[in-house]
Amino acid sequence: MKAIIEVSTNEIIYGPADASLETLNDVVTRYGGGPAIELNEHITESGPLAIINTLEIDEAPEKAWLYFSDFTPWRVENSVAVRDRIYLLLDDEQAKSAAKAKLAEVRYIAEVAGFDLADGIHVRTELNDQNRIANAHAGLVAGFSDTVDFKGYQGWSVMTLAELEPIAKAVFRHVSVYCFGAERYLSELIDTKTADELLVLDIDALFGAKYQELSAA
């Protein structure tokens, strides 16, 4: 982005704007300056005006999702238009909503990450994998077929109900019991916290610990 300043006062009169040279030159001309031949990496002099670069300073806190962000007004420092992003802690209710949204992200990542069975077979649990396993299992349970051609992580296989059922059960427990169980536990914990308390709540670690607790039960 570029900005246009009045050289004598260092005052920003246009921008910062993500605009073409033609647009910037039009503004410069209307304010009494001369059109620039090209935009360089530094100052482009245009009579009493100058086209300058911009800089946004963003020093985000560790849990930026618990804050409302805004910007200070633009200012000119060393011929660069500068502004700072500022972070204001959300109120308690807003912080709870933000923390639950973050928690949902953590749960989703865990949900679709897959897991290994005791025999070392890796089971994929992305949403389409969950649907395929559930659909194949339901068809075998209903007696639509004695076997099903199943495409898993290791490739094609022909599976019977006895072979697929442990996998379907493991996927169900991983998703519905462990992942969503851990999310519900933490969601209810979040409801008891203030915004300041949520700042020190380690959602990732607590989710992982609850998942392990539920899966070990």
Side-chain angles (χ1 to χ4, degrees):
M1 291 191 296
K2 300 285 184 177
I4 299 175
I5 65 168
E6 184 176 355
V7 176
S8 61
T9 63
N10 244 21
E11 179 183 355
I12 298 174
I13 64 170
Y14 178 79
D18 189 7
S20 66
L21 176 59
E22 289 76 12
T23 300
L24 294 173
N25 275 338
D26 177 66
V27 176
V28 168
T29 301
R30 285 189 282 112
Y31 277 86
I37 297 175
E38 63 180 351
L39 291 176
N40 57 42
E41 295 182 356
H42 304 290
I43 303 173
T44 300
E45 296 290 348
S46 301
L49 307 177
I51 302 173
I52 64 174
N53 287 326
T54 61
L55 173 65
E56 292 183 351
I57 300 174
D58 187 355
E59 298 179 355
E62 183 178 353
K63 296 182 178 179
W65 42 270
L66 280 175
Y67 294 81
F68 168 78
S69 65
D70 199 357
F71 285 100
T72 61
W74 289 99
R75 63 190 183 277
V76 177
E77 293 182 357
N78 299 319
S79 299
V80 176
V82 181
R83 70 175 180 177
D84 303 282
R85 184 184 288 274
I86 55 177
Y87 291 86
L88 305 173
L89 186 62
L90 299 173
D91 66 32
D92 289 349
E93 292 307 312
Q94 292 171 330
K96 289 175 186 178
S97 295
K100 288 180 181 180
K102 180 64 176 179
L103 171 60
E105 292 178 11
V106 172
R107 184 267 306 152
Y108 179 77
I109 292 171
E111 176 188 347
V112 302
F115 59 89
D116 294 328
L117 296 173
D119 58 7
I121 293 177
H122 181 76
V123 180
R124 298 179 64 168
T125 56
E126 294 180 17
L127 297 183
N128 56 343
D129 297 307
Q130 296 180 38
N131 292 335
R132 283 201 300 268
I133 292 171
N135 184 62
H137 179 257
L140 291 173
V141 169
F144 296 156
S145 175
D146 293 331
T147 62
V148 63
D149 292 320
F150 190 78
K151 187 178 182 181
Y153 182 74
Q154 287 79 14
W156 286 100
S157 60
V158 178
M159 304 193 77
T160 64
L161 176 60
E163 293 169 324
L164 185 59
E165 187 152 25
I167 297 174
K169 180 179 178 181
V171 170
F172 168 79
R173 294 186 67 80
H174 166 73
V175 174
S176 299
V177 180
Y178 310 150
C179 286
F180 278 93
E183 182 180 5
R184 178 175 181 176
Y185 166 79
L186 277 178
S187 180
E188 293 174 350
L189 178 64
I190 287 169
D191 281 333
T192 68
K193 303 297 183 181
T194 65
D196 287 321
E197 290 170 334
L198 289 172
L199 280 174
V200 296
L201 193 72
D202 191 333
I203 290 177
D204 287 277
L206 289 172
F207 180 92
K210 191 62 179 181
Y211 180 101
Q212 292 300 321
E213 176 188 332
L214 292 171
S215 62

